[in-house]
Amino acid sequence: MKADVIVVGGGIVGAACAAELALRGMTVEVLEARGIGGGATAAGMGHIVVMNDSPAEFALARASRELWLALESQLREREAFSRCGTLWIAEDDEELDAARLMRDAFAAAGVRAHMLDRAALREAEPSISHAMQGGLLIDDDAIVYAPAAARWLLTRSTRIRVSTGCAVRAVDADDTHAVVTLATGDRRTASHVVIANGLAAPDLIAAVPLEAKKGHLLITDRYLGTIHHQVLELGYIKSAHHARGTSVAFNAQPRPTGQVLIGSSRQFGTLDPAVEIDVLATMLARATRYLPGIGGLNAIRAWTGFRAATPDGLPLIGPARFPGDRLWLAAGHEGLGVTTSLGTAKLVAAQMLGELVPFDMPATHAFSPRRFARAHADG
């Protein structure tokens, strides 16, 4: 099979792109250096969450979540999809005000969200500290086991061929076709190449502005009913935007197995995958503030991963460079790769095929990889 499109990267974003392009009738070859669903996809929480840090992010996350919800009936037990909702916890009056602003923004966009007072919060999540003032419940947010979901997406069409253990050394293109050179020296051609290999994208496209954000996660033994929603502190949003240093924020998820997945941390300036005990201890101390009983649970594993972040916090989705728009980027999603993977795939396919964007997206140029080149030229 000679591919119409080669997708470099078999994580959740690459798998979503492959599935969408195959659905459009294109033959797709996926080249993955390790295994399908590895890397950041395997390291993350698999939270499908609407975020509204910017109009572009809000539109992409909202549309992508709807695409995930439409797949709910097709996903199998192994994908561990659950529409558990997201509960943002407010510790004080200032955070309650922030929650109300978020609720109003969501309501204006048709996203179901409602405030919980202290009594309603205790009823929804009895394990949460009674010192918390209330919260905001986003009803239709969900979770999924992303590595299994990536594999499932790649089985949806016979037009997709997957090659694992297949590292890519270089990509190039002219006006008529794109060329991929493998680490073995073999070359493969296609009409288009989609580069969706996260932090490795700058190895293939020069000057792609991606930086690693290291994160820690920990999972417990099985304790059914400890929490019922994905629960986060409202301060998580501030933590996610720290530009330097180390930060932690409370974030916990009920797995369908009964386990509790606990996060999270952010660190810059390191590619060392080792679990750092001091960071993990700080993260767990933060979690104890919100879930006082968490220290009594048995932890069975901790690990780290690396988010691929851009300078402005928005992903790179679209043509990578001139000429010919044969090379495409789908990378830099930071902590929203699982959420926005399906929407990203729709955007890539629409741009590649010259179609209108299939959902309400006020500013697709906000994701253009060329925005940084333009900013550099303007500077």
Side-chain angles (χ1 to χ4, degrees):
M1 180 182 74
K2 185 179 186 300
D4 296 313
V5 182
I6 295 173
V7 175
V8 180
I12 192 66
V13 172
C17 289
E20 180 65 28
L21 292 167
L23 184 66
R24 304 300 191 88
M26 307 176 84
T27 55
V28 183
E29 182 171 19
V30 177
L31 305 178
E32 166 55 44
R34 293 174 291 180
I36 297 302
T41 298
M45 296 186 86
H47 191 192
I48 299 170
V49 54
V50 175
M51 299 287 279
N52 66 334
D53 290 347
S54 70
E57 179 187 80
F58 192 17
L60 181 60
R62 186 175 72 245
S64 297
R65 191 190 67 171
E66 292 308 306
L67 294 169
W68 275 112
L69 296 180
L71 292 177
E72 182 175 3
S73 63
Q74 301 175 52
L75 292 165
R76 307 158 299 181
E77 183 177 354
R78 72 187 68 174
E79 281 82 53
F81 184 93
S82 171
R83 197 186 300 208
C84 61
T86 298
L87 182 50
W88 294 91
I89 307 296
E91 186 175 15
D92 53 33
D93 289 342
E94 182 183 358
E95 291 187 349
L96 278 173
D97 288 341
R100 293 186 186 100
L101 289 174
M102 189 185 297
R103 176 203 57 193
D104 293 345
F106 282 9
V111 175
R112 291 200 303 156
H114 58 275
M115 296 292 297
L116 303 183
D117 62 17
R118 294 180 68 170
L121 176 62
R122 287 196 294 272
E123 183 177 353
E125 290 291 352
S127 297
I128 291 290
S129 168
H130 289 190
M132 300 300 137
Q133 298 300 302
L136 177 69
L137 179 60
I138 314 301
D139 299 88
D140 296 316
D141 283 354
I143 59 173
V144 70
Y145 183 52
R151 292 189 287 270
W152 177 77
L153 285 167
L154 293 174
T155 64
R156 299 192 75 200
S157 173
T158 57
R159 295 179 179 274
I160 301 172
R161 181 175 69 191
V162 177
S163 298
T164 57
C166 197
V168 173
R169 186 175 71 200
V171 297
D172 204 354
D174 57 26
D175 290 335
T176 61
H177 65 282
V179 180
V180 170
T181 304
L182 305 182
T184 60
D186 291 344
R187 289 159 59 89
R188 301 188 187 178
T189 62
S191 296
H192 300 274
V193 172
V194 178
I195 299 159
N197 58 345
L199 283 170
D203 296 337
L204 302 179
I205 299 291
V208 172
L210 293 179
E211 183 175 13
K213 286 188 179 181
K214 181 179 179 180
H216 287 69
L217 290 175
L218 176 144
I219 196 164
T220 73
D221 209 337
R222 298 170 187 249
Y223 298 96
L224 274 171
T226 301
I227 54 175
H228 308 284
H229 307 82
Q230 177 101 17
V231 286
L232 303 89
E233 63 168 295
L234 275 154
Y236 177 92
I237 298 172
K238 297 177 185 176
S239 169
H241 289 291
H242 281 189
R244 287 292 176 266
T246 298
S247 62
V248 301
F250 169 62
N251 187 354
Q253 180 184 104
R255 299 302 303 159
T257 58
Q259 296 170 283
V260 180
L261 183 57
I262 302 167
S264 63
S265 68
R266 275 176 167 76
Q267 291 171 269
F268 288 84
T270 178
L271 291 175
D272 182 356
V275 172
E276 300 175 50
I277 298 303
D278 57 337
V279 176
L280 195 64
T282 303
M283 188 180 81
L284 292 174
R286 187 70 181 176
T288 301
R289 180 173 182 159
Y290 290 83
L291 280 176
I294 202 76
L297 306 186
N298 180 41
I300 61 174
R301 187 166 74 93
W303 66 93
T304 67
F306 295 91
R307 311 169 183 90
T310 63
D312 62 6
L314 294 175
L316 305 165
I317 307 171
R321 59 177 170 82
F322 294 108
D325 289 350
R326 299 285 173 181
L327 302 180
W328 303 80
L329 273 167
H333 296 76
E334 200 173 332
L336 286 178
V338 177
T339 293
T340 59
S341 56
L342 300 182
T344 293
K346 293 280 188 187
L347 287 180
V348 169
Q351 292 179 79
M352 189 180 292
L353 298 173
E355 300 173 354
L356 294 176
V357 175
F359 45 79
D360 182 20
M361 178 58 63
T364 55
H365 65 271
F367 305 122
S368 171
R370 297 170 181 166
R371 68 188 185 271
F372 295 107
R374 287 197 299 266
H376 180 73
D378 293 342

